[in-house]
Amino acid sequence: ANGTTLSVVVPALARSGAVTVLGSGTSFNLQVVPTLRGVSGDVAAGNTLLAEGTGLTRNDLVITVGGLTVTDYTVRTIFDGSGTNRDQQLLTLVVPAGTLTGQAVVVSTAGGTAANRHGVVLADNGIQAQASDPPDTLAAAVSLGLLRDAHTAVTADIGGPLDVDLYALTLDAHAALRLTVTPSANYSTVRIFDAGGVEQASRYFGPNDGNPLEFTANASGTYYVGISGYGNIGYNPSVGGSGTSSGYTGTYQLNFEAMRGGSNRLSGMTASAASGTAAQAGLPSANTGQTLTLAGVGLLSSDRVVFTTVDTNGSLGEQSVAPTAVDLVAQTLTVRVPDSATTGMVRLERDRSGMVLQVVPTVTDVTMNPGGGFVGNNLTLRGTGFAEAGTTVSFGATQVDDRTPNYGIDVYSSGVGNSQLNMVVPGTSPATPSGPIRVSTAGGTSAAFNQALTGITSTPASGVAADAGVAAAVPGQVITLTGTGLDTSIDVVFQTVDASGNRGEIVVRPNSVSADASQALVTVPVHAVTGSVRLVGDVNGAAVPLQIVPAITDVDVEWVAGDGSYASVLVAGLGFVEGSASEYHFGSLVVFDGGINTGPDVFGRGDAVYGYVPNGYVRVTVPLGDAAFGAISVSTDGGQSASYSVNLASVTSTALRGTAANAGEASANAGQAIT
């Protein structure tokens, strides 16, 4: 509040070096210490390992495996956390040739060092029964020595209301200390102090309480553990007999377990994604909901497994899951991958590091809004394993990357994990393929959404197609699509044209689908134009041609020039195309539409059956002469309409006034009605 301090989150890409504030002429060095949360893969020459950590700065990173220096590696930053949210970097490395001394993977930078050791067997230092009452002060505490990847226990007695027993032990930096009180009828309080007697952590233990007090040492050195009756929680560890009297006294067994940072009990993970392709072949992978097997040492029937998760805001977290089965003889457990799991560390709940699991996404459904276009409109994918700010969607060779939680692809939950994403289809039509559609994350790439369009069966209800060997239809006609995996929710993309000759696309749904999912009946949109028909998410990325044959439903002569040289004719129908070398046939006369801004003019109309038809009218200026009188038809690149014609059989009329020049032919006066 007085403007003398501020806090700032160290970004994922920070490296050790100077830190300053804009506008300040001074700077101070900060060491960015790396972490190594998990490693997967068999440590053998030439094998690929996958590790997860932070602070893995490429400019000064040194990696060793079994004491050998690694030269072949890549680092990728997946998530940049906000302080409460974790960072995540994935390190891929190849084990070098040479004689390995152990299995440890160690990373070092200018900021520090981190390690990961699998299958660590804890040394058992046994139970140390205290011959006399342990001291009440730090200075006289019972020394347990260095506790490194080991466990031990002490037994003694809380002999009175103010009795406190203190134990001293040495821990490595980043070591995880885990304390439990063996089930008893007593109530007790356990406190952890640093070398100066400042409390670092505490916990109350009730009868038969198996939950631990856990603490991670920030620095190497001596730490103290005190146990007292549960009511004596505020004693001074430097002064004997201090605190508040507690009525709960008696014998206890205090259990100590300390593991170095990076040490864990897991020795292997057996998992292979049932669907899709893992980013790193041969390393553990799974789809969410799938079961995997973990092997380890010292596994307990009470062990739980912690998975790395990601929420719909792109924030990493963890979820603890109970195994479906534990085999204490084989020292294995099986566990279901939770719905919100993402690529990252998998560990035992009582460990602080573990292995890395690649979570491979799946795509189970593809949906667009009918009536809209394809490119530039919203697409919804359903599946599993999506990751906000860490997902790429591919349309054939066209890719859309989501690299920030607030823009682009939006991942959300429909009740089960990260199971849906929304996005806008990029590019231009038809340059952006409608398929195959795949989703990729740091864990791998999904199998392509499995639907396919293989053909169209249709002949025009009227008129003649330009190419007899290609499917053709009149707008509004029902056609048959053939393919695989078809259902009533498929999105069929037709090419369209508006009154100005602008090309576009529209997505429609089928009227019905056959029981074997091989055929779908679809109504051709009223403003469809000759071109390709596509299926959104087509596994083959196929486009099947369809010819749109125009049709004439009515002809109206709007007016005739005073000298009879030409007439304005309004033709109603379907499938008219502005420009595009369309031809309008009046008898043997052809009126050619050579461009959008010249010649016949196409525009929209309302229709009692089809609703609004954007290209349902064309106004044609027709030169009048003997050649113009006859059947009327329209030709586009899709074919020629059926002829619109009427049969004039006779004219019956006799002039009411005057005498006709030829008594054998019909005659009339101007303004007279004739038959």
Side-chain angles (χ1 to χ4, degrees):
N2 64 2
T4 61
T5 64
L6 60 83
S7 61
V8 61
V9 176
V10 180
L13 294 177
R15 62 183 177 91
S16 298
V19 176
T20 190
V21 175
L22 187 64
S24 171
T26 58
S27 63
F28 296 88
N29 285 335
L30 175 71
Q31 299 175 90
V32 178
V33 183
T35 69
L36 202 56
R37 290 193 285 252
V39 178
S40 284
D42 295 328
V43 178
N47 283 0
T48 297
L49 306 183
L50 179 63
E52 182 204 44
T54 62
L56 307 175
T57 51
R58 186 68 173 85
N59 65 301
D60 60 354
L61 183 61
V62 176
I63 309 166
T64 62
V65 178
L68 300 177
T69 301
V70 175
T71 57
D72 186 358
Y73 67 91
T74 58
V75 178
R76 178 184 173 192
T77 300
I78 309 299
F79 289 98
D80 186 357
S82 62
T84 56
N85 307 323
R86 281 169 34 184
D87 296 324
Q88 185 186 57
Q89 291 178 310
L90 293 181
L91 169 65
T92 305
L93 61 96
V94 177
V95 180
T99 302
L100 298 168
T101 56
Q103 303 278 302
V105 178
V106 180
V107 294
S108 299
T109 67
T113 301
N116 186 279
R117 308 170 199 84
H118 285 323
V120 174
V121 179
L122 272 63
D124 187 357
N125 296 339
I127 301 174
Q128 303 178 35
Q130 304 301 300
S132 59
D133 183 36
D136 292 8
T137 62
L138 302 179
V142 174
S143 176
L144 301 180
L146 174 63
L147 206 59
R148 175 183 290 160
D149 290 339
H151 54 72
T152 190
V154 294
T155 59
D157 182 80
I158 300 298
L162 293 176
D163 188 24
V164 175
D165 294 349
L166 281 162
Y167 300 91
L169 66 157
T170 301
L171 297 175
D172 294 306
H174 313 302
L177 177 64
R178 195 170 189 269
L179 302 173
T180 57
V181 178
T182 294
S184 68
N186 291 336
Y187 296 81
S188 59
T189 294
V190 176
R191 302 171 70 193
I192 301 173
F193 305 93
D194 65 12
V198 178
E199 183 181 293
Q200 304 297 300
S202 66
R203 189 180 189 278
Y204 154 76
F205 286 88
N208 304 311
D209 186 348
N211 294 319
L213 169 59
E214 296 180 318
F215 166 71
T216 299
N218 289 327
S220 60
T222 300
Y223 293 85
Y224 297 87
V225 176
I227 183 169
S228 61
Y230 93 101
N232 189 7
I233 60 175
Y235 59 86
N236 184 343
S238 299
V239 179
S242 64
T244 303
S245 295
S246 174
Y248 292 90
T249 60
T251 60
Y252 64 84
Q253 179 174 311
L254 181 58
N255 307 294
F256 296 77
E257 178 185 283
M259 298 184 73
R260 286 179 292 172
S263 293
N264 61 82
R265 296 173 176 84
L266 295 181
S267 58
M269 182 191 302
T270 303
S272 181
S275 176
T277 305
Q280 296 296 326
L283 296 179
S285 64
N287 308 124
T288 61
Q290 197 173 329
T291 298
L292 57 82
T293 300
L294 294 172
V297 293
L299 299 182
L300 304 175
S301 59
S302 59
D303 272 327
R304 292 170 63 86
V305 180
V306 178
F307 287 84
T308 300
T309 61
V310 64
D311 66 16
T312 55
N313 295 316
S315 300
L316 291 179
E318 290 186 327
Q319 182 177 347
S320 185
V321 178
T324 56
V326 180
D327 188 335
L328 296 180
V329 175
Q331 283 291 283
T332 60
L333 57 82
T334 55
V335 62
R336 179 186 178 276
V337 180
D339 297 325
S340 58
T342 194
T343 297
M345 176 180 61
V346 175
R347 63 177 175 88
L348 296 180
E349 193 175 57
R350 56 196 174 109
D351 288 348
R352 287 294 166 264
S353 65
M355 308 187 80
V356 178
L357 174 68
Q358 302 174 96
V359 175
V360 182
T362 68
V363 179
T364 58
D365 191 36
V366 174
T367 304
M368 297 197 76
N369 295 322
F374 175 57
V375 168
N377 287 289
N378 190 71
L379 171 71
T380 298
L381 302 184
R382 294 179 176 85
T384 64
F386 303 154
E388 179 66 54
T391 293
T392 295
V393 178
S394 300
F395 300 81
T398 300
Q399 293 187 342
V400 181
D401 296 324
D402 186 24
R403 290 292 175 255
T404 173
N406 301 317
Y407 301 97
I409 296 172
D410 180 29
V411 174
Y412 62 100
S413 171
S414 61
V416 181
N418 303 303
S419 56
Q420 288 192 201
L421 68 79
N422 281 344
M423 63 171 297
V424 174
V425 178
T428 58
S429 180
T432 299
S434 61
I437 294 178
R438 295 181 173 89
V439 172
S440 300
T441 64
T445 301
S446 72
F449 182 62
N450 193 21
Q451 288 181 338
L453 175 64
T454 57
I456 296 175
T457 302
S458 175
T459 55
S462 65
V464 179
D467 186 342
V470 176
V474 173
Q477 182 179 334
V478 176
I479 62 175
T480 300
L481 306 184
T482 57
T484 57
L486 306 182
D487 58 43
T488 55
S489 68
I490 61 173
D491 299 298
V492 184
V493 183
F494 284 87
Q495 306 296 304
T496 62
V497 66
D498 66 12
S500 298
N502 299 313
R503 302 301 176 106
E505 292 178 323
I506 189 173
V507 173
V508 302
R509 293 274 172 80
N511 306 333
S512 62
V513 177
S514 64
D516 63 0
S518 66
Q519 291 187 333
L521 299 181
V522 180
T523 300
V524 178
V526 293
H527 58 315
V529 69
T530 298
S532 61
V533 176
R534 300 186 290 169
L535 191 64
V536 178
D538 194 305
V539 69
N540 299 317
V544 179
L546 177 67
Q547 301 174 102
I548 300 300
V549 179
I552 298 175
T553 58
D554 189 35
V555 175
D556 180 28
V557 178
E558 296 179 302
W559 51 268
V560 179
D563 61 0
S565 60
Y566 62 90
S568 176
V569 180
L570 184 64
V571 181
L574 301 165
F576 304 151
V577 182
E578 179 69 46
S580 298
S582 296
E583 296 179 353
Y584 300 89
H585 300 259
F586 295 84
S588 60
L589 175 70
V590 177
V591 179
F592 181 74
D593 190 358
I596 293 175
N597 299 316
T598 62
D601 180 30
V602 174
F603 58 101
R605 67 178 176 85
D607 189 276
V609 176
Y610 300 112
Y612 181 70
V613 183
N615 56 340
Y617 269 140
V618 60
R619 180 172 283 115
V620 187
T621 298
V622 182
L624 295 180
D626 291 344
F629 295 96
I632 301 172
S633 64
V634 179
S635 295
T636 65
D637 56 357
Q640 185 169 359
S641 71
S643 295
Y644 180 90
S645 62
V646 295
N647 180 28
L648 178 60
S650 63
V651 176
T652 303
S653 176
T654 302
L656 297 177
R657 298 177 179 83
T659 303
N662 186 344
E665 291 183 358
S667 62
N669 304 122
Q672 180 181 338
I674 66 174
T675 302

